[in-house]
Amino acid sequence: MSVAHDSQGNPNDLGPFWMPFTPNRSFKEAPRIVSKAEGMYYYTTDGRKILDAAAGLWCCNAGHGHPAIVKAIQAQAAEMDFTPSFQFSHPKAFEAAARIAALAPGDLDHVFFANSGSEAADTALKIAIAYHRYNGEGSRTRLIGRVNGYHGVGFGGISVGGMSGNRKLYGPLLSGTDHLPGTYNRTEQAFTKGEPTWGAHLADELEELVKLHDASTIAAVIVEPMAGSGGVVPPPQGYLQRLREICDRHGILLIFDEVICGFGRLGAAFGAERYGVVPDLLTFAKGVTSGTVPMGGVIARKHVHDVVEGEGQDRAPHEMRLYHGYTYSAHPLACAAAIAAMNVYRDEGLFERTKKIEPLFADAVMSLKDKTPVDDIRTVGLAAAFDVRPLKDAPGKGGYDVMAHLFHDLDMMIRLSGDTVVLSPPLVTSEDEIGIMVDKMAKAINHVAG
Ligand SMILES: Cc1ncc(COP(=O)(O)O)c(C=O)c1O
C-alpha cells in the first residue's frame, strides 16, 4: 500500500479525488492545495501564506478558524454527535432555527434545514409546489428561473438555473420550467457601483410568461437577489419590488436564493433586508456556519408553512404533511456552528461593518477600470467582479490564468466564472487587505493580458 502523504503532508496520489467544477488534469499537473487556515489566510504545506479573497467559496464570512466557532463545534462533537431530525430532535436545532428566523425580515418564521445550497434550492421548489397542491391549486407546478441564475446542481436547481454549461450535459431536466431574461446589460450598466438604474422593466417579462403559460400553471419564481455565480450582478433598482408585485397579482410564490447574499455579504443579514422585499421562501447556506460545517436551508413565511402543515385543520396525530428531509437536516455540529457563527456576526457587528466599508471597497475595485484591460467591473456589498477581456480565440482562459497566476505567484485565492474573476473576501477583512487584494488583482490581470 502506498504512503498517503509525503513528509510535508502533500498527498502522493492525486488520482482518486475526482474534483468538482475543476479541470482535473490541469489541476493535478499544478495543484493548488492548502492545509491550514487562520483569519484571512490559508497556508500551503510548504508554508506559503495565501490571502483568501474569496471567503473560501463565498462561505467563511467570519474568517477562518474563529475561536468561538471552533470551540462550539468541538464541544458539540464531544457532547452529542448525531440526532435524527425525522420524528426526533435536539435543542440546538430549535435554537438555530429561531436565530435564523429572527434575522429574516417580515414573517419569514419557519426554517427547514438541508445541508447545502443545492438541497436548499430543491427544497424551496418542492415546498412551493406542495403549497399550491395543499391550497387546492394542484395545477400550479411550473417553476420560473432566470437566465444566468445559479441554484446549485440538483435537477431542480439546474432546471430553473440559467447557466448553460451546468445544464447542457443532463438531458431534458425538469419539465415545466421557464426563464426570465437576465438583468445584465453591459451597454446600459458597465462600471456601475451597486444596483444599476437601468433594468427594472425586465421584471415585466414575468407578465409575458404569465400570458404564455397562464398564472394557474405557475408555482413559483426563483431568483438570486444578487446573482453571485453569474458574475456579481446586482439587481436593477426597483426590479425585485416589481417582481414581488407581479407575483402577488398572480398568486405566484417568490423565492429568493440567498445562498451567497445571506449572512452579511450585502451588508445586511439578507438581500431581502437590503432591498426591502420579503419573498415567500428564502434559501440560505454557506455563511450560516461561516463555511465550517455544511448546512443549508429554507426560511418560509407563515402562510406557506401553515398551508403545507395544515394548520387549523383537523388531522390524525400521525399524519405527516411534507414528505421531505435529509438524514443530516439540523445536524448537531452544523446547528452548533450556526449559532456560534451568528453570535460572531452579532458581537463583531460584521453585517453593519460590511455596509460601512462597502463604499471604500467599491472605490478600490473601480480604480482598476483604467489600470487593467477589463470590459466591466461590478460591485455590491463585499463582492466585486472583473470581466477580463477575453484572450483571442480562448474564451475562459484569461479568467483561469488570472486565478492560477494569483495563487501560484501572488499568493491569493479568488473565485472565477469563465473570464470573470471575483473578489468576495471574508467580512473581517481589513481596509489594508482590501488594498492588497486589489493590487494583486491588477497585477494578475495585466500579467495575463501581456
Ligand atoms: C445562489 C446559489 N444557490 C445555490 C448554490 C449551491 O450551493 P451548494 O454548492 O452548497 O450546493 C450556490 C452556490 O454557490 C449559490 O450561489
Side-chain angles (χ1 to χ4, degrees):
M1 209 172 86
S2 67
V3 179
H5 303 281
D6 69 13
S7 57
Q8 284 187 310
N10 290 306
N12 282 333
D13 189 356
L14 301 184
F17 177 26
W18 189 349
M19 296 174 64
F21 278 121
T22 300
N24 273 255
R25 180 149 43 106
S26 34
F27 180 94
K28 288 163 191 183
E29 281 162 13
R32 292 173 291 279
I33 299 180
V34 291
S35 57
K36 187 182 138 170
E38 195 179 352
M40 285 292 299
Y41 293 91
Y42 281 110
Y43 295 84
T44 61
T45 48
D46 55 358
R48 282 171 56 221
K49 190 174 171 185
I50 308 286
L51 179 59
D52 179 7
L57 191 42
W58 302 93
C59 323
C60 307
N61 292 358
H64 295 281
H66 195 292
I69 305 176
V70 172
K71 199 168 146 209
I73 297 167
Q74 286 172 335
Q76 184 58 49
E79 188 176 306
M80 184 170 68
D81 49 4
F82 176 78
T83 332
S85 281
F86 304 178
Q87 309 284 3
F88 305 94
S89 192
H90 62 98
K92 287 198 182 73
F94 298 93
E95 188 182 343
R99 292 286 301 278
I100 292 166
L103 284 177
D107 61 348
L108 282 160
D109 288 345
H110 297 275
V111 179
F112 194 101
F113 285 114
N115 309 289
S116 66
S118 300
E119 289 180 358
D122 279 21
T123 297
L125 300 173
K126 287 173 75 176
I127 290 176
I129 292 172
Y131 163 85
H132 291 297
R133 166 85 185 241
Y134 278 130
N135 213 19
E137 289 194 282
S139 65
R140 286 189 184 260
T141 57
R142 192 176 300 280
L143 301 166
I144 311 275
R146 191 167 62 183
V147 170
N148 207 32
Y150 184 65
H151 305 291
V153 294
F155 269 102
I158 60 173
S159 301
V160 290
M163 301 172 90
S164 64
N166 297 340
R167 297 162 51 90
K168 68 184 178 196
L169 299 177
Y170 306 112
L173 311 183
L174 281 190
S175 60
T177 62
D178 210 336
H179 292 76
L180 290 164
T183 65
Y184 180 58
N185 181 312
R186 187 171 285 162
T187 314
E188 301 289 345
Q189 300 167 339
F191 300 101
T192 301
K193 286 182 199 160
E195 295 75 13
T197 50
W198 184 94
H201 64 280
L202 294 169
D204 298 342
E205 293 295 319
L206 183 54
E207 287 286 10
E208 298 303 310
L209 293 180
V210 170
K211 271 189 215 147
L212 180 66
H213 298 296
D214 198 79
S216 66
T217 71
I218 303 176
V221 171
I222 181 168
V223 294
E224 303 153 86
M226 174 274 280
S229 301
V232 184
V233 182
Q237 291 173 25
Y239 173 89
L240 294 172
Q241 283 80 353
R242 222 133 135 181
L243 268 193
R244 178 72 276 182
E245 283 160 23
I246 300 170
C247 286
D248 284 346
R249 203 173 304 144
H250 297 289
I252 298 167
L253 294 184
L254 179 61
I255 305 170
F256 279 179
D257 186 339
E258 298 233 21
V259 165
I260 280 178
C261 299
F263 295 95
R265 182 59 49 196
L266 300 182
F270 294 104
E273 180 186 330
R274 178 178 174 115
Y275 297 117
V277 175
V278 183
D280 299 291
L281 293 157
L282 184 157
T283 65
F284 63 88
K286 297 192 187 265
V288 63
T289 63
S290 195
T292 53
V293 182
M295 176 181 253
V298 178
I299 320 176
R301 284 177 71 173
K302 185 174 171 358
H303 64 279
V304 176
H305 166 269
D306 287 359
V307 164
V308 174
E309 283 298 321
E311 291 293 322
Q313 295 175 15
D314 260 352
R315 282 181 288 140
H318 61 276
E319 187 198 341
M320 182 162 62
R321 299 271 294 187
L322 186 63
Y323 283 74
H324 181 68
Y326 303 93
T327 297
Y328 297 121
S329 288
H331 191 285
L333 261 59
C335 292
I339 294 164
M342 284 184 279
N343 288 342
V344 170
Y345 297 148
R346 180 195 60 205
D347 297 346
E348 298 185 10
L350 289 180
F351 303 167
E352 299 76 14
R353 178 173 183 271
T354 298
K355 190 168 176 199
K356 205 167 130 231
I357 63 172
E358 176 174 346
L360 175 146
F361 180 76
D363 286 347
V365 300
M366 276 305 165
S367 72
L368 296 201
K369 177 179 175 192
D370 302 317
K371 293 190 201 150
T372 53
V374 289
D375 289 329
D376 189 14
I377 300 174
R378 295 171 295 283
T379 174
V380 62
L382 261 186
F386 306 81
D387 293 345
V388 177
R389 205 155 293 153
L391 299 176
K392 198 168 172 301
D393 300 329
K397 185 169 184 306
Y400 177 85
D401 287 352
V402 169
M403 178 278 295
H405 182 63
L406 277 167
F407 186 90
H408 293 294
D409 303 304
L410 297 173
D411 296 339
M412 184 160 95
M413 184 186 286
I414 59 150
R415 182 73 198 120
L416 81 158
S417 168
D419 279 313
T420 300
V421 288
V422 173
L423 293 178
S424 60
L427 309 183
V428 294
T429 183
S430 70
E431 296 178 12
D432 284 352
E433 283 155 351
I434 290 174
I436 294 168
M437 270 170 223
V438 171
D439 283 351
K440 284 180 191 274
M441 185 62 99
K443 274 197 191 113
I445 296 174
N446 286 326
H447 171 85
V448 167

